[in-house]
Amino acid sequence: MNPVIKPISVVLKEARQSKGISLQDAYKATKIHPNTLRALEDGTTLGLSHVYVKSYIKIYAKYLGISQHELDRYFHPEIPKEKKSRLDLPFQTKGEKIKA
């Protein structure tokens, strides 16, 4: 059984608060606007592209001292063994329809 993983937003907020860092201090160090930092901690994306969100999370996490290993658990979760591989999925040959 896999352990329950906290959302990355909670991890970021708890790390910042445990170190006594204000959002303004984090902004000065990371150059990520306080509204964006607050949104990351709240688990919202403000309509930003996932590329920007992932980049901001990496920058912010590094500043907070969160290891790359811990971040990888969020960005590259293990695929459960019961998931089918691509080879198990139906495929279509030319002129053939996939049956649902």
Side-chain angles (χ1 to χ4, degrees):
M1 180 163 68
N2 292 335
V4 176
I5 298 176
K6 291 181 188 178
I8 188 66
S9 58
V10 173
V11 173
L12 293 171
K13 188 171 189 171
E14 287 178 353
R16 179 182 61 80
Q17 290 176 338
S18 72
K19 294 175 188 284
I21 299 170
S22 71
L23 286 174
Q24 193 64 30
D25 291 337
Y27 162 64
K28 288 176 185 176
T30 64
K31 306 299 184 223
I32 301 171
H33 195 276
N35 291 341
T36 304
L37 294 173
R38 189 175 297 107
L40 293 175
E41 290 182 355
D42 291 341
T44 59
T45 62
L46 299 173
L48 295 171
S49 161
H50 73 279
V51 174
Y52 284 106
V53 172
K54 187 174 178 179
S55 177
Y56 288 151
I57 288 173
K58 283 185 172 189
I59 292 166
Y60 193 29
K62 183 176 181 182
Y63 167 71
L64 294 172
I66 297 170
S67 72
Q68 184 63 44
H69 175 72
E70 186 169 354
L71 275 183
D72 286 343
R73 290 182 18 209
Y74 295 96
F75 294 134
H76 307 288
E78 290 183 27
I79 298 172
K81 292 180 182 178
E82 59 270 6
K83 286 272 188 180
K84 293 184 176 184
S85 73
R86 286 183 50 189
L87 298 175
D88 293 333
L89 299 176
F91 63 93
Q92 180 177 355
T93 60
K94 193 173 184 178
E96 182 181 54
K97 292 185 179 180
I98 297 177
K99 294 180 182 178

